[in-house]
Amino acid sequence: GSIWFQFCEGDRYVAAREALAAYTDMVKTVAIEERLYRPLCLVFRDEEGEHAMDQHAAAWKLLKWLHRYDPQAWPAKVPDDTDDPAWTFCFNGVPLFVNISSAAHVQLKSRNLGRWLVSVVNPRENFDVVASASSPHGRMLRARIRGRVERYNQAPVPASLGFHGEPGNREWMQYQLGEPGLEAPACCPLSTQRRRPRLWDSI
């Protein structure tokens, strides 16, 4: 009962933005211990003519739109270059991790939550609390989790899964994972920048 759900229909982008704004407001005010297992799941019904293979593109398009209409400026402590190992997506001043789950995934069953596109959003800091890359225990726990995912998928864990902030890690590559017949993008589809927030009323 801890998962937040938003079923985005009609104006999908506005529904997602309002849900993400409410979620990140909660993150700012609730102690991490109390919200550690409260991800936000944004569920999108396919538009007419849209196919499962289009879902990843739709997810990146949504992230671009959310960044464009972010109510807060990009956090000073987070790089805006997606090629920086310390980069992560931010909204409303909160660093986040976005798991794009699509019906197009066959091999990576852990990234297929059913017929619709689902973006599972967690605060970035959750991963450092549960399984920090800076401690042997955290690395052991993360290896155990990924081992379970490998057994569930009956497929190797993608090489793009790394540790935030470490050299060679690209966080955006972990948002959309590739598999045979479903290629991940070669470069980040999202371009982030530091700027004043765009007024919502200007849409």
Side-chain angles (χ1 to χ4, degrees), residues 12-74:
R12 302 191 297 178
Y13 287 9
V14 173
R17 183 186 185 275
E18 290 177 352
L20 192 55
Y23 180 73
T24 48
D25 282 344
M26 179 275 292
V27 168
K28 293 176 184 179
T29 57
V30 176
I32 189 169
E33 295 80 11
E34 298 177 30
R35 57 170 169 80
L36 196 57
Y37 303 107
R38 292 191 205 172
L40 169 65
C41 292
L42 301 171
V43 184
F44 299 88
R45 183 187 297 273
D46 291 347
E47 293 183 336
E48 186 176 356
E50 194 172 38
H51 301 289
M53 295 296 285
D54 302 322
Q55 290 180 347
H56 285 109
W60 286 110
K61 188 176 179 182
L62 170 70
L63 290 179
K64 291 176 186 178
W65 189 88
L66 289 171
H67 178 57
R68 183 181 183 189
Y69 294 107
D70 190 339
Q72 296 291 327
W74 193 262

Side-chain angles (χ1 to χ4, degrees), residues 53 56-57 60 104-105 176-186:
M53 295 296 285
H56 285 109
W60 286 110
H105 279 296
Q176 176 186 347
L177 300 179
E179 64 179 60
L182 183 62
E183 298 302 320

Side-chain angles (χ1 to χ4, degrees), residues 88-123:
T88 195
F89 184 74
C90 300
F91 183 84
N92 198 18
V94 178
L96 302 167
F97 182 88
V98 183
N99 169 322
I100 302 174
S101 294
S102 164
H105 279 296
V106 176
Q107 185 178 79
L108 299 179
K109 296 188 291 291
S110 58
R111 286 292 180 105
N112 185 332
L113 299 180
R115 179 177 176 183
W116 311 119
L117 166 67
V118 183
S119 289
V120 184
V121 182
N122 277 285

Side-chain angles (χ1 to χ4, degrees), residues 5 119 134-135 140:
F5 283 97
S119 289
S134 62
S135 73
M140 180 182 69

Side-chain angles (χ1 to χ4, degrees), residues 111-194:
R111 286 292 180 105
N112 185 332
L113 299 180
R115 179 177 176 183
W116 311 119
L117 166 67
V118 183
S119 289
V120 184
V121 182
N122 277 285
R124 168 67 255 167
E125 65 179 344
N126 284 17
F127 297 89
D128 296 327
V129 171
V130 173
S132 173
S134 62
S135 73
H137 174 74
R139 286 184 172 274
M140 180 182 69
L141 182 58
R142 194 167 301 198
R144 186 182 304 165
I145 292 169
R146 290 177 178 175
R148 289 177 179 175
V149 170
E150 186 171 0
R151 290 192 296 275
Y152 176 75
N153 290 335
Q154 296 183 322
V157 173
S160 56
L161 290 180
F163 288 91
H164 181 253
E166 290 195 342
N169 182 73
R170 298 296 178 268
E171 195 77 350
W172 65 268
M173 289 184 175
Q174 302 181 58
Y175 293 4
Q176 176 186 347
L177 300 179
E179 64 179 60
L182 183 62
E183 298 302 320
C187 59
C188 186
L190 177 67
S191 176
T192 54
Q193 52 189 286
R194 300 188 190 281

